Amino acid sequence: MKAGHFLHCRDCETIFRPSPSDRAPEYRMTPRGIRTIARDDCMDFLTRHARHHLVTLRPIEPAFHTGALWDASAPTYWQVSDGDRTAVVEGTRSQLGSPLRYRLRAGRVVAERVAVEVPDAEIRRQIDRALYPGVAPERKLAAFCEAFKRVAWDLDPALLEILYDVPGDPTMSVARLSAPALTELRDCARRIFDRADSAKVEAIFAGTEDDPAGFTVLVHQRVRVEG
């Protein structure tokens, strides 16, 4: 059985996922010192269900996380197949650090980009650095950020180019703005700032040595089980 596959007992509706840590020893403190207890969780599962109908469920896509990796309350989904049909394995934890508990669900996993978030504070910092720290008037910074939001929120998140996922939170990604959106924001910069300052702001769109991506937005992904 390959790593990452699930074992499903159809008699008990129990799911187990073998892993290299199944045979990791358990250590207990006793009056005589630390006692090492040998373990083999996979063999224990197979022994308990030896007379039952066991099938292997093979993941057919990478895992789908529904929240940040540190969020113990956020389920993880796997689209799986037993060779004849597909289903969804849902993994949940009672708290951070506790083992995953699995259950089988009918349906399929759907991941959708549902919203665009504008990192207001980062945009302000980028403009402030471009013009010279502390020089940009607050009213102009606020005006450009509002224009940025109007343009970004009109974009279809499903069509944006994803640059990378936010570390620790697979439901959020950093995306590049579309070419038409960048053109519209350049026009906004020319209306809000004077010629010299607007040229510096426009240079951010092409990216800099410190920030080669230029202005970016955050894209939120929603994961659900359908059917």
Side-chain angles (χ1 to χ4, degrees):
M1 181 175 180
K2 292 184 178 179
H5 290 190
F6 298 87
L7 285 172
H8 176 217
C9 175
R10 289 187 173 174
D11 294 346
C12 304
E13 287 301 325
T14 305
I15 294 179
F16 178 79
R17 195 182 201 196
S19 75
S21 63
D22 292 341
R23 303 183 70 177
E26 181 179 342
Y27 300 98
R28 294 182 183 176
M29 182 62 72
T30 69
R32 296 184 177 182
I34 297 176
R35 179 187 174 194
T36 302
I37 302 174
R39 288 175 46 189
D40 192 332
D41 296 340
C42 186
M43 184 56 65
D44 290 344
F45 179 85
L46 293 173
T47 301
R48 289 196 306 272
H49 301 272
R51 297 180 180 273
H52 296 177
H53 184 190
L54 297 178
V55 296
T56 298
L57 301 176
R58 175 177 55 85
I60 54 179
E61 293 187 62
F64 294 87
H65 299 281
T66 62
L69 299 182
W70 45 261
D71 184 359
S73 65
T76 299
Y77 298 118
W78 291 264
Q79 192 78 54
V80 297
S81 172
D82 63 3
D84 295 322
R85 64 189 181 102
T86 61
V88 176
V89 171
E90 178 185 84
T92 56
R93 299 181 191 273
S94 58
Q95 61 185 6
L96 187 64
S98 64
L100 277 168
R101 303 296 180 187
Y102 304 105
R103 72 181 179 115
L104 195 64
R105 298 181 56 177
R108 65 187 184 93
V109 183
V110 177
E112 305 169 301
R113 297 185 205 166
V114 295
V116 173
E117 178 183 335
V118 177
D120 186 279
E122 178 57 27
I123 292 170
R124 287 171 175 265
R125 283 194 293 269
Q126 286 179 289
I127 295 175
D128 201 44
R129 288 196 302 266
L131 299 186
Y132 192 78
V135 169
E138 174 58 31
R139 61 181 178 83
K140 292 190 176 183
L141 283 174
F144 184 78
C145 285
E146 287 305 310
F148 195 109
K149 291 175 185 176
R150 287 196 301 272
V151 172
W153 288 343
D154 282 341
L155 299 173
D156 183 347
L159 301 179
L160 294 178
E161 177 191 354
I162 300 299
L163 298 175
Y164 55 89
D165 292 334
V166 173
D169 190 348
T171 66
M172 295 184 66
S173 302
V174 175
R176 194 191 308 275
L177 293 170
S178 63
L182 290 175
T183 298
E184 189 172 349
L185 284 174
R186 286 190 178 92
D187 293 338
C188 292
R190 291 165 188 160
R191 291 195 300 270
I192 294 169
F193 300 98
D194 60 33
R195 180 176 297 179
D197 286 348
S198 67
K200 295 176 183 178
V201 172
E202 287 181 63
I204 302 175
F205 291 93
T208 64
E209 184 176 344
D210 294 331
D211 186 9
F215 287 121
T216 55
V217 293
L218 293 172
V219 175
H220 291 259
Q221 177 178 266
R222 180 179 61 197
V223 177
R224 58 188 173 85
V225 177
E226 184 179 79

